[in-house]
Amino acid sequence: MGYIQDVIGIVERRNAGEPEFLQAVREVLESLEPVVQKHRKYQDNRILERIVEPERQIIFRVPWLDDKGQVQVNRGFRFEFNSAIGPYKGGLRFHPSVNQSILKFLGFEQVFKNSLTTLPMGGGKGGSDFDPKGKSDAEVMRFCQSFMTELARHIGPDTDVPAGDIGVGGREIGYMFGQYKRLRNEFTGVLTGKGLKWGGSLIRPEATGYGAVYFAEEMLKTRGETFKGKICTVSGSGNVAQYTIEKLNQLGAKAVSISDSNGTVYDKDGISPQKLAWAMELKNVKRGRIKDYADKFGCEYREGVRPWYIKCDCAFPSATQNEISGDEAKELLKNGCYVVSEGANMPSTPAAVDLFLEKKILYGPGKAANAGGVATSGLEMSQNSMRLSWTREEVDARLNQIMVAIHKACFDTAKEYGQAGNYVMGANIAGFIKVADAMIDQGVV
Amino acid sequence: MSLQGHSANQATKDVLSSGAADSKALAAITEQWCADIPPGTAAPLKVHYTERPGAAHGRRFYPDVSGWAASHNPYVWSEYIDPSAGVMRLVFGAASKLHARDDYPRLVALNAPNRRPEAYFEEICTHSQRRADFTDVKTGAPETGYVLDLLQERDTHVVELLTSTGDAYHPVTGEPIRALTCEGLLRDTPLVGFTREILRRLADAAGRPVELHFALQLGDRDGAILWTPRELRPAETPPEPHPVQGRILLTSSGFTLGRSRLARFERAVYISPAQYSPLSLSNRYELARLLGRLRRAFGDSPWILIGPGRWGTSSPELGIPVRFAEINGAGILIELAEMHDTLTPEVALGTHFLNDIVSHDILCAAILSGREGHRADGTYFEEMPNELARIMPGMESWASVVRVVEARACGGEAFVVWADAVQRRMICAIEFGRGRG
């Protein structure tokens, strides 16, 4: 650990006052111990020292006029962290909490997330301390135009391709894309998350849920199994949960649960495509409670509990962070569950993860299993570059290929490091190796 | 029915002093003022007295819009909001939804009606009214239905005034999804200006802040909007000077959000900033889930919740990433701005779930360390007996971070909270029995 601790010490000295960034660096570097010990080349080439330093940091003034005609000033950022395997890629966040430390932390993590997708995407992050809450449409537009007026000098379809993040949705992407187009006089794929009619990609809402199922399908294949006849529990009722259930149905599994923050529905007959369409209308259009599903279809509803008490083969946590505690993990395993594929971010507590690894079930951690969303951004870039719009089926097929590739990268890496079947270790290391090896190949730049 | 000058003031005072809602007298008072308000581009507005506002649509009887308005706005969540301009809340259908905890009336700051606390249209959809209440014409029974189902029976004029679309689409048909925003009603009719002016005149006449209930019938495209006053009452004001005695634990000045009140609580939950700060990301989420379990254990008994940074943040480095369902039993929500030594503290004053806070009538306050008028006696909560392990056996390992403090276990009677929405001040103390304090 000497080399890693030395580098952490350097980062702490150079980045004092950036607690979020320091914590992220510590966590990532410590997970890389087996790689650094096995391959001396990373130390010889000073890869860790280089990878923790953004390639470029841009901080700029964003002046704009509010509806009263008063001048407002915000601060804009773009951290172009690493372009070893492709153009910088990462979201723009508009939120009053945005600062250098948070964006560096997010940008650093983005490097490895993007690498894990196996697509040619570097890592970056940016944004502003502008708060879109409480602003009128006209104010948001004027802010976005001013923000892009400076950012346009630094980005481009082959240089840096930002996406949305907190506070940056379809409206903001539209305003920024319009301003970029006006400034550069070119219609290019400089941003992702665009509207379907002007360069966006199909399958974006579906991608994370579909991806989590594809990842689980690959895990099952390592044991010579398929989804045919498998009983699956799904938590949540947002996009990730809905499209997880849709894909499970398509692959012959039976999804038996759906939940919201109030409780869980257990439909032992399975959530058929017709029932799912009804649930989508309920949650996406009428914004009703999932309890209405139980009332409509006459099935079990439990207030205030999550679906992990239900007997199943596979579980798809698709709701929120820490939704599977250590005790719930024990209950899942006791009930026969042997596949967990995380559609949500960090849904399993460390105690739950430890138990899954100890019992050697097929456990797909979120950083790999829910990479479908990031992957679709990559597919949007590809379509823009080719000046093509793929059909739903084409995008879905490519998403499948990507998830297969992510699974293979995690699986092979874990095996190489003597931990076959440990997708956590595989995911941590695979993303790093691709970037680090590319940096070595490209010399000291 | 018209009244002038002094007689209007006296009539307003009479209405307020009568105790019961005299909506006929109120209609007489307001009718003359209506003529002074410029008409909107979509439809004029007329004061219209009726015993039972509303109309039948098939088997359903309901007013098109029910509203509550106050001359002082206690929900100042943005720098653009002028509290003295007033506020209103609007629902489609019967007024009972104005007070429902599980739904979202449209909250309108009367000087900034287009400013919303949501950042995207998807969030607007999530925080728009879902269900509307009506009376079944045949049975006379109160019933409820989905807003969008009810609107399907209405003509496009009403739909256009009450709903809007954005970048959210139906997952199957691909059609834009509608949300009940009242955008057309606020933009194209005189309702906002009229309500603001009526509230100002009523409050002037009454000599104190007032609250008003009303109903609207939207009519057809060429007709007037009919405005029916229902009830006028003085706004709740806290006793002055504040009667809080005992040991003062928390004070905030200029950073509160919510109605005035004087309330008592059996317990407070205090998240220690010093112990929260070093928690890992995963443990911060774990703490949020633990608070959800505590909420269920507390049942219906409300409590005071105090913690570092922003409640409900999606960035756990800035506060505690709870979902609203995990803390919706709290009566008072306090944000302590002292989380990091090296960062400027930020508070959200509950805006991560503003609509929920308004629906649940929760008071939010921020305590800014070191600022005049702000105080948080963390030592008290750290030193008093912690009831966490008794209430949640097996959670002892969290006892240093989560302090569940019960007034009686500390030798007190209750935690008392006094809040003044006009001055935006809050004081919280532990009250002792006679002979102590």
Side-chain angles (χ1 to χ4, degrees):
Chain A
M1 289 280 271
Y3 172 48
I4 287 174
Q5 290 306 326
D6 288 348
V7 175
I8 290 174
I10 293 169
V11 176
E12 283 172 346
R13 282 194 296 281
R14 273 193 174 170
N15 301 277
E18 297 180 3
E20 293 84 8
F21 177 58
L22 292 175
Q23 186 172 348
V25 167
R26 237 177 263 125
E27 283 174 11
V28 169
L29 295 195
E30 285 173 359
S31 75
L32 296 175
E33 188 194 350
V35 193
V36 173
Q37 281 192 347
K38 186 169 180 180
H39 298 289
R40 176 81 197 176
K41 63 181 177 179
Y42 298 124
Q43 185 169 354
D44 291 345
N45 285 280
R46 301 269 175 175
I47 288 298
L48 297 189
E49 290 93 325
R50 287 156 62 188
I51 215 164
V52 296
E53 196 65 30
E55 290 177 14
R56 192 173 298 111
Q57 309 183 34
I58 303 150
I59 303 180
F60 51 98
R61 180 175 68 199
V62 189
W64 56 281
L65 286 176
D66 69 16
D67 286 347
K68 290 179 177 169
Q70 290 171 345
V71 177
Q72 303 285 340
V73 181
N74 285 95
R75 185 172 283 181
F77 302 88
R78 186 68 183 168
F79 289 87
E80 296 180 337
F81 229 104
N82 195 299
S83 61
I85 60 169
Y88 309 104
K89 182 93 195 80
L92 294 171
R93 175 175 290 195
F94 292 168
H95 193 276
S97 69
V98 159
N99 61 41
Q100 182 158 317
S101 173
I102 287 173
L103 291 181
K104 277 174 74 175
F105 141 62
L106 294 169
F108 182 63
E109 290 202 323
Q110 197 71 46
V111 173
F112 307 108
K113 274 187 195 170
N114 290 354
S115 169
L116 193 59
T117 65
T118 70
L119 296 173
M121 298 190 292
K125 201 80 185 181
S128 171
D129 56 0
F130 172 77
D131 188 356
K133 289 183 179 175
K135 302 295 189 296
S136 68
D137 267 358
E139 287 172 336
V140 170
M141 183 174 73
R142 288 194 290 272
F143 172 81
C144 288
Q145 289 176 341
S146 180
F147 182 83
M148 182 52 83
T149 300
E150 175 57 33
L151 188 67
R153 304 168 198 272
H154 310 287
I155 64 175
D158 299 316
T159 312
D160 183 353
V161 185
D165 191 59
I166 293 171
V168 179
R171 174 183 62 170
E172 288 77 12
I173 291 287
Y175 293 150
M176 287 191 280
F177 183 77
Q179 181 73 350
Y180 182 88
K181 189 165 59 69
R182 179 164 72 171
L183 291 166
R184 293 293 188 90
N185 195 27
E186 57 187 37
F187 192 110
T188 55
V190 70
L191 293 160
T192 58
K194 298 186 292 297
L196 276 177
K197 292 171 185 160
W198 41 280
S201 176
L202 289 163
I203 304 283
R204 271 187 42 237
E206 295 90 336
T208 306
Y210 281 11
V213 176
Y214 289 141
F215 194 87
E217 187 182 31
E218 290 308 299
M219 292 197 293
L220 282 168
K221 280 182 190 167
T222 64
R223 296 191 181 179
E225 297 182 36
T226 70
F227 269 119
K228 210 82 188 158
K230 295 278 187 297
I231 304 295
C232 302
T233 48
V234 180
S235 66
S237 50
N239 276 346
V240 180
Q242 291 171 13
Y243 292 110
T244 293
I245 294 169
E246 183 169 278
K247 188 53 74 179
L248 286 171
N249 280 334
Q250 289 171 10
L251 296 180
K254 187 201 271 190
V256 295
S257 71
I258 187 166
S259 67
D260 63 15
S261 59
N262 293 84
T264 292
V265 167
Y266 174 29
D267 185 346
K268 59 179 68 166
D269 295 332
I271 301 169
S272 64
Q274 292 74 26
K275 289 176 180 174
L276 178 62
W278 193 90
M280 285 175 156
E281 172 93 12
L282 174 75
K283 296 306 290 186
N284 300 8
V285 181
K286 294 177 178 165
R287 309 278 158 175
R289 303 288 185 207
I290 204 64
K291 181 179 181 300
D292 290 4
Y293 177 103
D295 295 341
K296 166 83 176 168
F297 297 110
C299 43
E300 180 181 307
Y301 173 75
R302 288 201 193 181
E303 187 86 18
V305 299
R306 296 187 276 252
W308 314 130
Y309 71 93
I310 298 167
K311 196 170 170 54
C312 67
D313 302 301
C314 315
F316 292 85
S318 313
T320 190
Q321 295 89 352
N322 285 36
E323 56 169 310
I324 303 181
S325 66
D327 287 343
E328 285 166 318
K330 277 182 202 157
E331 198 171 2
L332 262 177
L333 299 182
K334 196 180 82 187
N335 281 331
C337 176
Y338 66 101
V339 179
V340 174
S341 187
E342 295 183 338
N345 284 321
M346 297 173 58
S348 306
T349 63
V353 174
D354 288 347
L355 192 65
F356 296 153
L357 295 178
E358 181 198 323
K359 298 296 180 190
K360 298 193 185 306
I361 68 161
L362 297 171
Y363 167 62
K367 68 174 66 175
N370 70 23
V374 180
T376 309
S377 280
L379 295 178
E380 185 175 333
M381 286 169 68
S382 303
Q383 291 171 77
N384 293 162
S385 296
M386 297 165 73
R387 297 268 191 266
L388 284 173
S389 289
W390 292 329
T391 63
R392 289 179 59 83
E393 290 71 23
E394 285 174 305
V395 180
D396 190 16
R398 284 183 163 84
L399 174 64
N400 188 0
Q401 288 166 10
I402 291 168
M403 297 311 296
V404 169
I406 293 173
H407 175 272
K408 185 175 187 318
C410 295
F411 185 84
D412 291 350
T413 305
K415 197 171 172 188
E416 184 189 341
Y417 286 85
Q419 296 272 334
N422 183 340
Y423 291 95
V424 178
M425 179 193 233
N428 282 341
I429 294 176
F432 167 78
I433 287 177
K434 187 177 174 195
V435 177
D437 288 351
M439 288 171 74
I440 293 172
D441 292 347
Q442 291 166 21
V444 181
V445 291
Chain B
M1 248 185 358
S2 193
L3 293 165
Q4 295 294 327
H6 174 76
S7 61
N9 286 0
Q10 189 54 50
T12 304
K13 283 179 181 157
D14 291 345
V15 170
L16 282 168
S17 63
S18 68
D22 186 348
S23 55
K24 193 170 188 177
L26 202 51
I29 296 165
T30 51
E31 188 179 25
Q32 56 168 321
W33 294 339
C34 188
D36 302 342
I37 311 297
T41 57
L45 191 138
K46 285 183 183 163
V47 175
H48 171 74
Y49 170 72
T50 172
E51 283 278 344
R52 193 181 178 218
H57 307 281
R59 67 176 183 86
R60 303 178 178 96
F61 181 93
Y62 56 88
D64 288 339
V65 174
S66 296
W68 165 90
S71 58
H72 179 86
N73 184 354
Y75 307 112
V76 183
W77 54 270
S78 156
E79 61 191 316
Y80 291 103
I81 292 175
D82 172 7
S84 67
V87 63
M88 68 179 170
R89 299 176 80 205
L90 303 172
V91 292
F92 176 60
S96 45
K97 271 286 171 218
L98 283 169
H99 311 292
R101 289 161 68 97
D102 62 348
D103 218 321
Y104 302 108
R106 171 71 160 99
L107 181 70
V108 184
L110 290 175
N111 77 307
N114 298 321
R115 296 199 184 271
R116 297 195 55 131
E118 301 87 1
Y120 327 86
F121 186 71
E122 185 63 34
E123 284 184 6
I124 290 174
C125 291
T126 301
H127 295 108
S128 295
Q129 187 187 349
R130 300 160 180 183
R131 287 175 169 272
D133 292 343
F134 57 88
T135 304
D136 188 302
V137 172
K138 282 185 183 166
T139 65
E143 288 199 17
T144 186
Y146 282 111
V147 165
L148 295 181
D149 288 345
L150 267 59
L151 281 171
Q152 279 185 354
E153 301 170 343
R154 306 300 303 274
D155 68 38
T156 52
H157 165 64
V158 171
V159 174
E160 283 169 7
L161 284 176
L162 295 182
T163 69
S164 29
T165 57
D167 54 356
Y169 301 92
H170 193 289
V172 178
T173 65
E175 291 291 311
I177 291 172
R178 287 198 169 272
L180 195 119
T181 59
C182 301
E183 204 172 294
L185 185 65
L186 301 174
R187 186 190 54 225
D188 301 332
T189 79
L191 179 67
V192 170
F194 174 76
T195 308
R196 186 175 174 177
E197 186 60 19
I198 291 289
L199 286 169
R200 187 185 67 76
R201 293 187 190 196
L202 289 171
D204 283 351
R208 60 188 301 183
V210 294
E211 295 179 3
L212 175 70
H213 278 83
F214 59 90
L216 299 177
Q217 283 306 113
L218 301 179
D220 57 29
R221 193 173 293 277
D222 302 319
I225 292 174
L226 302 182
W227 184 88
T228 303
R230 301 288 292 154
E231 191 178 351
L232 177 69
R233 61 171 60 157
E236 196 173 327
T237 49
E240 282 285 359
H242 74 76
V244 175
Q245 293 188 340
R247 178 168 172 173
I248 304 284
L249 302 175
L250 307 162
T251 62
S252 174
S253 180
F255 285 84
T256 68
L257 188 145
R259 287 186 317 104
S260 298
R261 70 197 69 200
L262 180 64
R264 288 180 168 76
F265 300 87
E266 288 173 22
R267 57 169 73 99
V269 176
Y270 177 81
I271 311 301
S272 164
Q275 301 295 322
Y276 183 77
S277 196
L279 289 183
S280 68
L281 201 62
S282 174
N283 277 334
R284 291 181 183 196
Y285 286 114
E286 188 58 22
L287 174 72
R289 301 298 90 84
L290 168 68
L291 288 173
R293 296 199 288 281
L294 258 182
R295 186 260 173 274
R296 287 196 289 279
F298 289 165
D300 292 333
S301 169
W303 72 99
I304 300 169
L305 185 53
I306 310 147
R310 300 159 174 251
W311 285 106
T313 178
S314 53
S315 308
E317 61 277 6
L318 297 171
I320 302 175
V322 288
R323 290 168 296 166
F324 186 69
E326 290 168 325
I327 59 164
N328 64 7
I332 311 285
L333 199 56
I334 307 281
E335 297 188 342
L336 301 173
E338 52 174 299
M339 194 160 143
H340 293 293
D341 295 333
T342 48
L343 286 181
T344 305
E346 294 260 9
V347 293
L349 215 54
T351 51
H352 288 105
F353 17 63
L354 179 81
N355 293 287
D356 295 292
I357 278 168
V358 175
S359 289
H360 283 69
D361 193 25
I362 295 172
L363 176 83
C364 288
I367 298 179
L368 310 184
S369 180
R371 189 176 289 209
E372 192 181 339
H374 291 252
R375 179 181 173 202
D377 188 350
T379 310
Y380 180 83
F381 294 106
E382 302 269 10
E383 289 178 350
M384 286 297 111
N386 188 352
E387 307 296 324
L388 177 69
R390 181 179 60 77
I391 296 168
M392 302 274 297
M395 290 293 154
E396 293 82 358
S397 60
W398 285 95
S400 63
V401 190
V402 182
R403 314 285 307 174
V404 179
V405 180
E406 296 190 343
R408 291 197 179 276
C410 306
E413 295 287 332
F415 294 108
V416 59
V417 174
W418 172 90
D420 182 336
V422 177
Q423 296 180 55
R424 301 188 72 193
R425 285 178 62 212
M426 185 278 307
I427 298 171
C428 170
I430 181 162
E431 271 187 341
F432 297 103
R434 265 176 286 176
R436 296 196 57 186

